[in-house]
Amino acid sequence: MNYPNGMKKPTQLNQSSNPTNQSFSNRGMSLEEDINVTNQYYLDLDKAVIHKKPTPVQIVKVNYPRRSAAVITEAYFKQASTTDYNGLYRGKYVDFEAKETKNKTLFPLANIHDHQISHMENVVRHGGICFIVIRFTLHDETYYMKAEQLFKHWYDKLKNGKKSISYQVVKENSYLIPFSYQARVDYLAIIDKLYF
Amino acid sequence: MNYPNGMKKPTQLNQSSNPTNQSFSNRGMSLEEDINVTNQYYLDLDKAVIHKKPTPVQIVKVNYPRRSAAVITEAYFKQASTTDYNGLYRGKYVDFEAKETKNKTLFPLANIHDHQISHMENVVRHGGICFIVIRFTLHDETYYMKAEQLFKHWYDKLKNGKKSISYQVVKENSYLIPFSYQARVDYLAIIDKLYF
């Protein structure tokens, strides 16, 4: 796999994470939970201001019982028109999507939507830092793929019907995100190497 | 009121809006709707990538009827931990909150929350462009107040219990946002003058 600017292995990216960390790694927690913990850690350290957006919901019916909070009694999940995470790091706009797969050999493109790709294209064109976090749960590996790289695979899907990216290709065209206990998906380590 | 860099009146900010536009102005549409229309217009013009975040909802019960979409049958509104809008303009991170009031003489600080102010402080400290859009519905005027200015009033509330900002003070310490049919709350016009 690629490491930006001469990095040799993931543990070099984060001095506080030593190789034995791999043993208690991130098994058991979802990628979303891990990223939320990481973002909170960044916030606590005053390193970055990055949040998950709320799940988009179409609210249809709301009850207002006396003396208590309004209850939503009918609502539906809506498709997201943007990515799940965005914010601010070292003065830069940061925007990303995160997906995990239990597939060992490939990452399916099915759960990324057209309008998410359009949004990511907008972000890149306007000078933001944009990427997708891909976790292969069974390999216990989490990758940072630049949006520009994702676009290539997306266009390949549109042109040639290729509906997935093989694990091997993700490995070769992405950056392994280092894990540490508090920064469980330490994607800023990759951004530091790529952009600063 | 202040106009950045020698602006004389709001219509100067946007050449396409002529004074007669004031007549069909923004009466009848909520501030949120106006901002959504504006953001879509910016997006269509490829001027900026700014979106409203979904309303935060705590989902408690979901039904999965056969052959149809999942129905959320119990959920509650959650307090937002950040602001409602953020995105990217000319390479810069932009973040803001929007509030309207039917009060003629003052803007109450009651519907801004502590953690929203903390979030705005984070954004300013990390180099983002941060502000609040304040609409006085009955005056049919919409103002851009820099977050730094809002903080002063907020600290005044904490120290001296001052729970509102008078209309006059908003006028004097904010920028009137120009209105045009498509850019109904043309806040980028203010950002252009203040930051570029």
Side-chain angles (χ1 to χ4, degrees), chain A residues 43 46-49 51 53-57 59 62 70-77 82 86-88 90-91 93 119 122-123 125-128, chain B residues 43 46-49 51 53-57 59 62 70-77 82 86-88 91 93 119 122-123 125-128:
Chain A
L43 212 53
D46 201 24
K47 238 190 126 168
V49 188
H51 291 272
K53 294 186 193 170
T55 305
V57 157
I59 297 167
V62 183
V71 191
I72 300 162
T73 55
E74 187 184 345
Y76 299 89
F77 293 102
T82 64
N86 76 356
L88 179 59
R90 296 173 75 168
Y93 176 84
H119 172 70
N122 289 342
V123 169
R125 203 171 50 252
H126 284 264
Chain B
L43 212 53
D46 200 25
K47 239 190 126 169
V49 188
H51 291 272
K53 293 183 193 172
T55 305
V57 157
I59 297 166
V62 184
V71 191
I72 299 161
T73 55
E74 187 185 346
Y76 299 89
F77 294 102
T82 64
N86 76 356
L88 180 59
Y93 177 84
H119 172 70
N122 289 342
V123 169
R125 202 171 51 253
H126 284 265

Short mmCIF file of all heavy atoms in Angstrom, two decimals, chain A residues 43 46-49 51 53-57 59 62 70-77 82 86-88 90-91 93 119 122-123 125-128, chain B residues 43 46-49 51 53-57 59 62 70-77 82 86-88 91 93 119 122-123 125-128:
data_model
loop_
_atom_site.label_atom_id
_atom_site.label_comp_id
_atom_site.label_asym_id
_atom_site.label_seq_id
_atom_site.Cartn_x
_atom_site.Cartn_y
_atom_site.Cartn_z
N LEU A 43 -11.59 16.83 19.39
CA LEU A 43 -12.26 18.01 19.94
C LEU A 43 -11.70 18.31 21.34
O LEU A 43 -11.39 19.46 21.66
CB LEU A 43 -13.76 17.71 20.01
CG LEU A 43 -14.76 18.84 19.83
CD1 LEU A 43 -14.51 19.63 18.57
CD2 LEU A 43 -16.18 18.27 19.82
N ASP A 46 -8.53 19.86 21.23
CA ASP A 46 -8.60 21.09 20.43
C ASP A 46 -7.76 20.97 19.15
O ASP A 46 -7.11 21.92 18.71
CB ASP A 46 -8.15 22.30 21.25
CG ASP A 46 -8.66 23.60 20.66
OD1 ASP A 46 -9.68 23.58 19.96
OD2 ASP A 46 -8.02 24.66 20.89
N LYS A 47 -7.80 19.79 18.57
CA LYS A 47 -7.01 19.52 17.36
C LYS A 47 -7.81 19.79 16.10
O LYS A 47 -7.26 20.23 15.09
CB LYS A 47 -6.62 18.02 17.37
CG LYS A 47 -5.13 17.78 17.31
CD LYS A 47 -4.80 16.32 17.07
CE LYS A 47 -3.88 16.22 15.87
NZ LYS A 47 -3.26 14.92 15.68
N ALA A 48 -9.09 19.49 16.12
CA ALA A 48 -9.95 19.64 14.96
C ALA A 48 -11.40 19.73 15.41
O ALA A 48 -11.74 19.32 16.52
CB ALA A 48 -9.78 18.46 14.01
N VAL A 49 -12.23 20.29 14.55
CA VAL A 49 -13.66 20.44 14.85
C VAL A 49 -14.44 19.68 13.78
O VAL A 49 -14.85 20.24 12.76
CB VAL A 49 -14.08 21.93 14.85
CG1 VAL A 49 -15.51 22.09 15.36
CG2 VAL A 49 -13.11 22.77 15.65
N HIS A 51 -17.53 16.80 13.01
CA HIS A 51 -18.71 16.15 13.57
C HIS A 51 -19.38 15.26 12.54
O HIS A 51 -19.30 15.50 11.34
CB HIS A 51 -19.72 17.22 14.01
CG HIS A 51 -19.30 18.02 15.20
ND1 HIS A 51 -19.57 17.62 16.48
CD2 HIS A 51 -18.62 19.18 15.31
CE1 HIS A 51 -19.08 18.51 17.33
NE2 HIS A 51 -18.49 19.48 16.65
N LYS A 53 -22.80 14.27 10.84
CA LYS A 53 -24.11 14.90 10.64
C LYS A 53 -25.20 13.96 11.15
O LYS A 53 -25.06 12.74 11.08
CB LYS A 53 -24.35 15.16 9.16
CG LYS A 53 -23.39 16.19 8.59
CD LYS A 53 -23.76 16.50 7.16
CE LYS A 53 -22.63 17.27 6.50
NZ LYS A 53 -22.83 17.39 5.06
N PRO A 54 -26.31 14.53 11.64
CA PRO A 54 -27.41 13.66 12.07
C PRO A 54 -27.93 12.84 10.89
O PRO A 54 -27.81 13.24 9.74
CB PRO A 54 -28.48 14.68 12.52
CG PRO A 54 -27.74 15.95 12.80
CD PRO A 54 -26.57 15.95 11.86
N THR A 55 -28.52 11.69 11.21
CA THR A 55 -29.17 10.85 10.19
C THR A 55 -30.35 11.61 9.59
O THR A 55 -31.21 12.09 10.34
CB THR A 55 -29.69 9.56 10.86
OG1 THR A 55 -28.60 8.94 11.54
CG2 THR A 55 -30.28 8.61 9.84
N PRO A 56 -30.41 11.72 8.27
CA PRO A 56 -31.53 12.46 7.68
C PRO A 56 -32.85 11.69 7.80
O PRO A 56 -32.92 10.53 7.40
CB PRO A 56 -31.14 12.62 6.20
CG PRO A 56 -29.78 12.03 6.06
CD PRO A 56 -29.50 11.20 7.26
N VAL A 57 -33.83 12.34 8.36
CA VAL A 57 -35.13 11.70 8.62
C VAL A 57 -36.24 12.61 8.08
O VAL A 57 -36.20 13.82 8.26
CB VAL A 57 -35.27 11.47 10.15
CG1 VAL A 57 -36.73 11.36 10.55
CG2 VAL A 57 -34.50 10.23 10.57
N ILE A 59 -39.76 13.65 8.67
CA ILE A 59 -40.72 13.59 9.77
C ILE A 59 -42.13 13.80 9.21
O ILE A 59 -42.39 14.78 8.52
CB ILE A 59 -40.39 14.64 10.84
CG1 ILE A 59 -39.00 14.32 11.45
CG2 ILE A 59 -41.46 14.67 11.93
CD1 ILE A 59 -38.42 15.43 12.28
N VAL A 62 -46.07 14.23 14.31
CA VAL A 62 -45.52 14.55 15.63
C VAL A 62 -46.67 14.72 16.61
O VAL A 62 -47.66 15.39 16.29
CB VAL A 62 -44.68 15.85 15.59
CG1 VAL A 62 -44.04 16.12 16.95
CG2 VAL A 62 -43.60 15.77 14.51
N ALA A 70 -42.31 16.55 22.72
CA ALA A 70 -42.95 16.14 21.48
C ALA A 70 -42.43 14.76 21.07
O ALA A 70 -41.25 14.47 21.20
CB ALA A 70 -42.64 17.15 20.38
N VAL A 71 -43.35 13.91 20.61
CA VAL A 71 -42.97 12.57 20.16
C VAL A 71 -43.20 12.47 18.66
O VAL A 71 -44.30 12.75 18.17
CB VAL A 71 -43.85 11.48 20.84
CG1 VAL A 71 -43.26 10.09 20.56
CG2 VAL A 71 -43.96 11.73 22.33
N ILE A 72 -42.17 12.08 17.95
CA ILE A 72 -42.32 11.81 16.53
C ILE A 72 -42.89 10.41 16.39
O ILE A 72 -42.28 9.45 16.88
CB ILE A 72 -40.96 11.94 15.82
CG1 ILE A 72 -40.41 13.35 16.00
CG2 ILE A 72 -41.10 11.59 14.33
CD1 ILE A 72 -38.93 13.47 15.73
N THR A 73 -44.07 10.27 15.77
CA THR A 73 -44.71 8.95 15.71
C THR A 73 -44.69 8.35 14.30
O THR A 73 -45.03 7.19 14.13
CB THR A 73 -46.17 9.03 16.20
OG1 THR A 73 -46.85 10.03 15.41
CG2 THR A 73 -46.25 9.41 17.66
N GLU A 74 -44.32 9.16 13.33
CA GLU A 74 -44.14 8.59 11.99
C GLU A 74 -43.04 9.35 11.26
O GLU A 74 -43.11 10.57 11.09
CB GLU A 74 -45.44 8.66 11.17
CG GLU A 74 -45.30 7.91 9.84
CD GLU A 74 -46.55 8.03 8.96
OE1 GLU A 74 -47.61 8.44 9.46
OE2 GLU A 74 -46.42 7.73 7.75
N ALA A 75 -42.05 8.63 10.86
CA ALA A 75 -40.92 9.25 10.15
C ALA A 75 -40.24 8.18 9.32
O ALA A 75 -40.42 6.98 9.56
CB ALA A 75 -39.95 9.87 11.15
N TYR A 76 -39.49 8.62 8.33
CA TYR A 76 -38.82 7.69 7.43
C TYR A 76 -37.36 8.10 7.23
O TYR A 76 -37.04 9.28 7.25
CB TYR A 76 -39.53 7.65 6.07
CG TYR A 76 -40.96 7.18 6.20
CD1 TYR A 76 -41.99 8.09 6.44
CD2 TYR A 76 -41.27 5.83 6.15
CE1 TYR A 76 -43.30 7.66 6.61
CE2 TYR A 76 -42.58 5.38 6.31
CZ TYR A 76 -43.59 6.30 6.54
OH TYR A 76 -44.87 5.87 6.72
N PHE A 77 -36.53 7.12 7.02
CA PHE A 77 -35.13 7.41 6.71
C PHE A 77 -35.05 7.99 5.31
O PHE A 77 -35.70 7.50 4.39
CB PHE A 77 -34.29 6.14 6.80
CG PHE A 77 -34.18 5.62 8.20
CD1 PHE A 77 -34.94 4.53 8.61
CD2 PHE A 77 -33.35 6.23 9.12
CE1 PHE A 77 -34.86 4.06 9.92
CE2 PHE A 77 -33.26 5.76 10.42
CZ PHE A 77 -34.02 4.67 10.82
N THR A 82 -25.39 14.35 1.15
CA THR A 82 -23.97 14.68 1.27
C THR A 82 -23.27 13.49 1.94
O THR A 82 -23.81 12.40 1.98
CB THR A 82 -23.76 15.96 2.10
OG1 THR A 82 -24.19 15.72 3.44
CG2 THR A 82 -24.54 17.13 1.53
N ASN A 86 -18.15 16.15 8.38
CA ASN A 86 -17.38 17.29 7.87
C ASN A 86 -16.96 18.22 9.01
O ASN A 86 -17.42 18.05 10.14
CB ASN A 86 -18.13 18.02 6.75
CG ASN A 86 -19.26 18.89 7.24
OD1 ASN A 86 -19.58 18.92 8.43
ND2 ASN A 86 -19.88 19.60 6.33
N GLY A 87 -16.05 19.11 8.68
CA GLY A 87 -15.57 20.01 9.70
C GLY A 87 -14.32 20.74 9.28
O GLY A 87 -14.09 20.95 8.07
N LEU A 88 -13.52 21.08 10.28
CA LEU A 88 -12.45 22.06 10.11
C LEU A 88 -11.17 21.55 10.78
O LEU A 88 -11.19 21.15 11.95
CB LEU A 88 -12.93 23.34 10.79
CG LEU A 88 -12.08 24.57 10.84
CD1 LEU A 88 -11.73 25.05 9.43
CD2 LEU A 88 -12.81 25.68 11.58
N ARG A 90 -6.94 22.63 10.93
CA ARG A 90 -5.84 23.53 10.54
C ARG A 90 -6.29 24.51 9.46
O ARG A 90 -5.59 24.73 8.47
CB ARG A 90 -4.63 22.71 10.10
CG ARG A 90 -4.05 21.87 11.25
CD ARG A 90 -2.97 20.91 10.84
NE ARG A 90 -1.69 21.59 10.58
CZ ARG A 90 -0.52 20.95 10.43
NH1 ARG A 90 -0.48 19.62 10.52
NH2 ARG A 90 0.57 21.61 10.19
N GLY A 91 -7.47 25.07 9.65
CA GLY A 91 -7.99 26.08 8.72
C GLY A 91 -8.57 25.53 7.44
O GLY A 91 -9.05 26.29 6.60
N TYR A 93 -11.21 22.96 5.22
CA TYR A 93 -12.48 22.23 5.22
C TYR A 93 -12.20 20.75 4.94
O TYR A 93 -11.52 20.41 3.97
CB TYR A 93 -13.40 22.80 4.15
CG TYR A 93 -14.71 22.04 4.03
CD1 TYR A 93 -15.77 22.33 4.88
CD2 TYR A 93 -14.87 21.05 3.07
CE1 TYR A 93 -16.97 21.63 4.79
CE2 TYR A 93 -16.08 20.35 2.97
CZ TYR A 93 -17.11 20.65 3.83
OH TYR A 93 -18.29 19.97 3.73
N HIS A 119 -21.41 15.37 -4.50
CA HIS A 119 -21.03 16.24 -3.39
C HIS A 119 -19.50 16.23 -3.20
O HIS A 119 -18.88 17.29 -3.04
CB HIS A 119 -21.72 15.79 -2.10
CG HIS A 119 -21.24 16.51 -0.89
ND1 HIS A 119 -21.52 17.85 -0.66
CD2 HIS A 119 -20.45 16.12 0.15
CE1 HIS A 119 -20.94 18.23 0.47
NE2 HIS A 119 -20.29 17.20 0.98
N ASN A 122 -17.85 18.27 -5.76
CA ASN A 122 -17.98 19.69 -5.42
C ASN A 122 -16.92 20.11 -4.41
O ASN A 122 -16.28 21.15 -4.54
CB ASN A 122 -19.36 19.98 -4.83
CG ASN A 122 -20.46 19.90 -5.87
OD1 ASN A 122 -20.21 19.96 -7.08
ND2 ASN A 122 -21.69 19.74 -5.41
N VAL A 123 -16.77 19.28 -3.38
CA VAL A 123 -15.83 19.60 -2.31
C VAL A 123 -14.40 19.71 -2.85
O VAL A 123 -13.68 20.67 -2.56
CB VAL A 123 -15.91 18.55 -1.18
CG1 VAL A 123 -14.75 18.72 -0.19
CG2 VAL A 123 -17.25 18.66 -0.45
N ARG A 125 -13.44 20.27 -5.93
CA ARG A 125 -13.34 21.41 -6.85
C ARG A 125 -13.22 22.74 -6.09
O ARG A 125 -12.58 23.67 -6.54
CB ARG A 125 -14.55 21.44 -7.78
CG ARG A 125 -14.31 22.18 -9.09
CD ARG A 125 -15.46 21.99 -10.08
NE ARG A 125 -16.74 22.24 -9.47
CZ ARG A 125 -17.64 21.30 -9.18
NH1 ARG A 125 -17.41 20.04 -9.47
NH2 ARG A 125 -18.78 21.63 -8.60
N HIS A 126 -13.84 22.80 -4.90
CA HIS A 126 -13.80 24.05 -4.13
C HIS A 126 -12.66 24.08 -3.12
O HIS A 126 -12.62 24.96 -2.26
CB HIS A 126 -15.15 24.28 -3.45
CG HIS A 126 -16.20 24.76 -4.40
ND1 HIS A 126 -16.52 26.08 -4.57
CD2 HIS A 126 -16.98 24.09 -5.28
CE1 HIS A 126 -17.46 26.20 -5.49
NE2 HIS A 126 -17.77 25.00 -5.95
N GLY A 127 -11.77 23.11 -3.21
CA GLY A 127 -10.55 23.20 -2.40
C GLY A 127 -10.62 22.53 -1.03
O GLY A 127 -9.78 22.80 -0.17
N GLY A 128 -11.60 21.68 -0.80
CA GLY A 128 -11.67 20.97 0.47
C GLY A 128 -10.86 19.68 0.45
O GLY A 128 -10.47 19.19 -0.62
N LEU B 43 -25.18 26.44 -5.08
CA LEU B 43 -24.75 25.13 -5.56
C LEU B 43 -24.92 25.04 -7.08
O LEU B 43 -24.02 24.58 -7.80
CB LEU B 43 -25.59 24.05 -4.87
CG LEU B 43 -24.99 22.69 -4.57
CD1 LEU B 43 -23.70 22.78 -3.80
CD2 LEU B 43 -26.00 21.86 -3.76
N ASP B 46 -22.40 26.80 -8.84
CA ASP B 46 -21.07 26.30 -8.45
C ASP B 46 -20.26 27.37 -7.72
O ASP B 46 -19.05 27.49 -7.89
CB ASP B 46 -20.31 25.80 -9.68
CG ASP B 46 -19.18 24.84 -9.27
OD1 ASP B 46 -19.29 24.23 -8.20
OD2 ASP B 46 -18.21 24.73 -10.04
N LYS B 47 -20.95 28.12 -6.89
CA LYS B 47 -20.33 29.21 -6.15
C LYS B 47 -19.84 28.76 -4.77
O LYS B 47 -18.81 29.21 -4.28
CB LYS B 47 -21.38 30.32 -5.92
CG LYS B 47 -20.97 31.67 -6.50
CD LYS B 47 -21.90 32.78 -6.05
CE LYS B 47 -21.11 33.89 -5.44
NZ LYS B 47 -21.82 35.13 -5.19
N ALA B 48 -20.60 27.89 -4.15
CA ALA B 48 -20.27 27.42 -2.81
C ALA B 48 -20.96 26.09 -2.57
O ALA B 48 -21.94 25.76 -3.25
CB ALA B 48 -20.72 28.43 -1.75
N VAL B 49 -20.45 25.34 -1.60
CA VAL B 49 -21.02 24.03 -1.26
C VAL B 49 -21.44 24.10 0.21
O VAL B 49 -20.69 23.75 1.11
CB VAL B 49 -19.98 22.91 -1.45
CG1 VAL B 49 -20.63 21.53 -1.27
CG2 VAL B 49 -19.29 23.01 -2.80
N HIS B 51 -24.60 23.34 3.02
CA HIS B 51 -25.83 22.58 3.25
C HIS B 51 -26.34 22.79 4.66
O HIS B 51 -25.57 23.05 5.58
CB HIS B 51 -25.57 21.09 3.05
CG HIS B 51 -25.30 20.69 1.64
ND1 HIS B 51 -26.30 20.36 0.76
CD2 HIS B 51 -24.14 20.59 0.92
CE1 HIS B 51 -25.78 20.06 -0.42
NE2 HIS B 51 -24.46 20.19 -0.35
N LYS B 53 -27.67 21.01 7.92
CA LYS B 53 -27.58 19.68 8.52
C LYS B 53 -28.98 19.16 8.81
O LYS B 53 -29.87 19.94 9.14
CB LYS B 53 -26.79 19.74 9.82
CG LYS B 53 -25.33 20.09 9.61
CD LYS B 53 -24.58 20.06 10.92
CE LYS B 53 -23.23 20.72 10.75
NZ LYS B 53 -22.54 20.89 12.05
N PRO B 54 -29.17 17.84 8.75
CA PRO B 54 -30.48 17.29 9.12
C PRO B 54 -30.82 17.63 10.57
O PRO B 54 -29.92 17.84 11.38
CB PRO B 54 -30.28 15.79 8.95
CG PRO B 54 -29.10 15.64 8.05
CD PRO B 54 -28.22 16.81 8.32
N THR B 55 -32.10 17.69 10.87
CA THR B 55 -32.56 17.89 12.25
C THR B 55 -32.14 16.68 13.09
O THR B 55 -32.41 15.55 12.72
CB THR B 55 -34.10 17.98 12.27
OG1 THR B 55 -34.49 19.01 11.36
CG2 THR B 55 -34.63 18.28 13.64
N PRO B 56 -31.49 16.93 14.23
CA PRO B 56 -31.05 15.79 15.05
C PRO B 56 -32.24 15.12 15.74
O PRO B 56 -33.03 15.78 16.41
CB PRO B 56 -30.11 16.41 16.08
CG PRO B 56 -30.00 17.86 15.73
CD PRO B 56 -31.09 18.22 14.81
N VAL B 57 -32.35 13.83 15.55
CA VAL B 57 -33.46 13.06 16.08
C VAL B 57 -32.93 11.83 16.80
O VAL B 57 -32.02 11.17 16.31
CB VAL B 57 -34.41 12.67 14.91
CG1 VAL B 57 -35.25 11.46 15.27
CG2 VAL B 57 -35.30 13.84 14.51
N ILE B 59 -33.73 8.28 17.63
CA ILE B 59 -34.65 7.25 17.16
C ILE B 59 -34.77 6.15 18.21
O ILE B 59 -33.76 5.60 18.66
CB ILE B 59 -34.17 6.67 15.81
CG1 ILE B 59 -34.18 7.80 14.76
CG2 ILE B 59 -35.07 5.52 15.36
CD1 ILE B 59 -33.42 7.47 13.50
N VAL B 62 -38.23 1.42 15.54
CA VAL B 62 -38.37 1.35 14.09
C VAL B 62 -39.12 0.07 13.73
O VAL B 62 -38.81 -0.99 14.26
CB VAL B 62 -36.99 1.35 13.39
CG1 VAL B 62 -37.14 1.37 11.87
CG2 VAL B 62 -36.15 2.53 13.84
N ALA B 70 -38.72 0.99 6.08
CA ALA B 70 -38.74 1.04 7.53
C ALA B 70 -39.47 2.29 8.00
O ALA B 70 -39.31 3.36 7.43
CB ALA B 70 -37.31 1.04 8.06
N VAL B 71 -40.32 2.13 9.03
CA VAL B 71 -41.04 3.26 9.60
C VAL B 71 -40.53 3.52 11.01
O VAL B 71 -40.50 2.61 11.84
CB VAL B 71 -42.56 2.97 9.71
CG1 VAL B 71 -43.32 4.26 10.04
CG2 VAL B 71 -43.08 2.34 8.44
N ILE B 72 -40.12 4.74 11.24
CA ILE B 72 -39.74 5.14 12.60
C ILE B 72 -41.03 5.48 13.33
O ILE B 72 -41.79 6.35 12.88
CB ILE B 72 -38.80 6.35 12.56
CG1 ILE B 72 -37.52 6.00 11.79
CG2 ILE B 72 -38.47 6.82 13.98
CD1 ILE B 72 -36.75 7.21 11.31
N THR B 73 -41.31 4.77 14.43
CA THR B 73 -42.60 4.98 15.11
C THR B 73 -42.44 5.68 16.46
O THR B 73 -43.43 6.06 17.08
CB THR B 73 -43.32 3.63 15.34
OG1 THR B 73 -42.42 2.76 16.04
CG2 THR B 73 -43.71 3.00 14.01
N GLU B 74 -41.20 5.81 16.91
CA GLU B 74 -40.98 6.61 18.12
C GLU B 74 -39.61 7.26 18.05
O GLU B 74 -38.59 6.58 17.91
CB GLU B 74 -41.08 5.74 19.39
CG GLU B 74 -41.01 6.58 20.65
CD GLU B 74 -40.99 5.75 21.94
OE1 GLU B 74 -41.29 4.54 21.87
OE2 GLU B 74 -40.63 6.32 22.99
N ALA B 75 -39.63 8.57 18.13
CA ALA B 75 -38.37 9.32 18.07
C ALA B 75 -38.59 10.66 18.74
O ALA B 75 -39.73 11.11 18.92
CB ALA B 75 -37.94 9.49 16.62
N TYR B 76 -37.49 11.29 19.13
CA TYR B 76 -37.57 12.57 19.83
C TYR B 76 -36.58 13.56 19.23
O TYR B 76 -35.53 13.16 18.74
CB TYR B 76 -37.26 12.37 21.33
CG TYR B 76 -38.24 11.44 21.98
CD1 TYR B 76 -38.01 10.05 22.01
CD2 TYR B 76 -39.42 11.92 22.53
CE1 TYR B 76 -38.94 9.19 22.58
CE2 TYR B 76 -40.35 11.06 23.10
CZ TYR B 76 -40.11 9.71 23.12
OH TYR B 76 -41.02 8.85 23.67
N PHE B 77 -36.95 14.82 19.29
CA PHE B 77 -36.03 15.86 18.85
C PHE B 77 -34.89 15.99 19.85
O PHE B 77 -35.13 15.97 21.07
CB PHE B 77 -36.76 17.20 18.72
CG PHE B 77 -37.79 17.20 17.62
CD1 PHE B 77 -39.14 17.07 17.91
CD2 PHE B 77 -37.39 17.30 16.30
CE1 PHE B 77 -40.09 17.04 16.89
CE2 PHE B 77 -38.33 17.28 15.27
CZ PHE B 77 -39.69 17.15 15.57
N THR B 82 -24.20 21.44 17.33
CA THR B 82 -23.44 22.38 16.51
C THR B 82 -24.43 23.39 15.92
O THR B 82 -25.54 23.54 16.42
CB THR B 82 -22.71 21.65 15.36
OG1 THR B 82 -23.69 21.07 14.48
CG2 THR B 82 -21.81 20.54 15.89
N ASN B 86 -23.25 24.38 7.42
CA ASN B 86 -21.81 24.54 7.21
C ASN B 86 -21.43 24.08 5.81
O ASN B 86 -22.24 23.50 5.09
CB ASN B 86 -21.01 23.84 8.31
CG ASN B 86 -20.96 22.34 8.17
OD1 ASN B 86 -21.59 21.74 7.30
ND2 ASN B 86 -20.23 21.70 9.06
N GLY B 87 -20.22 24.44 5.44
CA GLY B 87 -19.76 24.08 4.11
C GLY B 87 -18.50 24.81 3.71
O GLY B 87 -17.72 25.24 4.57
N LEU B 88 -18.37 24.99 2.42
CA LEU B 88 -17.10 25.38 1.82
C LEU B 88 -17.32 26.50 0.80
O LEU B 88 -18.18 26.39 -0.07
CB LEU B 88 -16.56 24.13 1.12
CG LEU B 88 -15.25 24.16 0.37
CD1 LEU B 88 -14.10 24.55 1.28
CD2 LEU B 88 -14.99 22.79 -0.23
N GLY B 91 -12.53 27.91 -0.84
CA GLY B 91 -11.49 27.22 -0.08
C GLY B 91 -11.59 27.37 1.42
O GLY B 91 -10.78 26.81 2.16
N TYR B 93 -13.68 27.21 5.18
CA TYR B 93 -14.74 26.58 5.94
C TYR B 93 -15.71 27.66 6.45
O TYR B 93 -15.28 28.65 7.04
CB TYR B 93 -14.16 25.81 7.13
CG TYR B 93 -15.21 25.19 8.02
CD1 TYR B 93 -15.77 23.96 7.71
CD2 TYR B 93 -15.65 25.84 9.17
CE1 TYR B 93 -16.73 23.38 8.53
CE2 TYR B 93 -16.61 25.27 10.00
CZ TYR B 93 -17.15 24.04 9.66
OH TYR B 93 -18.10 23.48 10.47
N HIS B 119 -19.30 25.60 20.08
CA HIS B 119 -18.95 25.16 18.73
C HIS B 119 -18.46 26.33 17.89
O HIS B 119 -17.45 26.23 17.19
CB HIS B 119 -20.16 24.50 18.07
CG HIS B 119 -19.96 24.18 16.62
ND1 HIS B 119 -19.10 23.19 16.20
CD2 HIS B 119 -20.45 24.75 15.49
CE1 HIS B 119 -19.09 23.15 14.87
NE2 HIS B 119 -19.90 24.08 14.43
N ASN B 122 -15.01 27.25 18.79
CA ASN B 122 -14.07 26.30 18.18
C ASN B 122 -13.80 26.66 16.72
O ASN B 122 -12.65 26.66 16.27
CB ASN B 122 -14.64 24.88 18.23
CG ASN B 122 -14.67 24.30 19.63
OD1 ASN B 122 -13.96 24.80 20.51
ND2 ASN B 122 -15.48 23.29 19.84
N VAL B 123 -14.87 26.95 16.00
CA VAL B 123 -14.74 27.25 14.57
C VAL B 123 -13.86 28.49 14.35
O VAL B 123 -12.94 28.48 13.53
CB VAL B 123 -16.13 27.45 13.91
CG1 VAL B 123 -16.00 28.03 12.51
CG2 VAL B 123 -16.89 26.12 13.88
N ARG B 125 -11.64 29.77 16.40
CA ARG B 125 -10.27 29.49 16.83
C ARG B 125 -9.50 28.68 15.79
O ARG B 125 -8.30 28.82 15.63
CB ARG B 125 -10.28 28.77 18.18
CG ARG B 125 -8.99 28.89 18.97
CD ARG B 125 -9.14 28.34 20.39
NE ARG B 125 -9.68 27.02 20.41
CZ ARG B 125 -10.93 26.72 20.80
NH1 ARG B 125 -11.74 27.65 21.24
NH2 ARG B 125 -11.35 25.47 20.77
N HIS B 126 -10.22 27.83 15.05
CA HIS B 126 -9.56 26.99 14.05
C HIS B 126 -9.55 27.62 12.65
O HIS B 126 -9.22 26.95 11.68
CB HIS B 126 -10.20 25.60 14.03
CG HIS B 126 -9.80 24.76 15.18
ND1 HIS B 126 -8.77 23.84 15.13
CD2 HIS B 126 -10.24 24.72 16.48
CE1 HIS B 126 -8.62 23.27 16.32
NE2 HIS B 126 -9.49 23.78 17.14
N GLY B 127 -9.95 28.87 12.58
CA GLY B 127 -9.78 29.58 11.31
C GLY B 127 -10.95 29.53 10.35
O GLY B 127 -10.81 29.83 9.16
N GLY B 128 -12.13 29.14 10.82
CA GLY B 128 -13.30 29.14 9.96
C GLY B 128 -14.01 30.49 9.95
O GLY B 128 -13.77 31.33 10.81
#
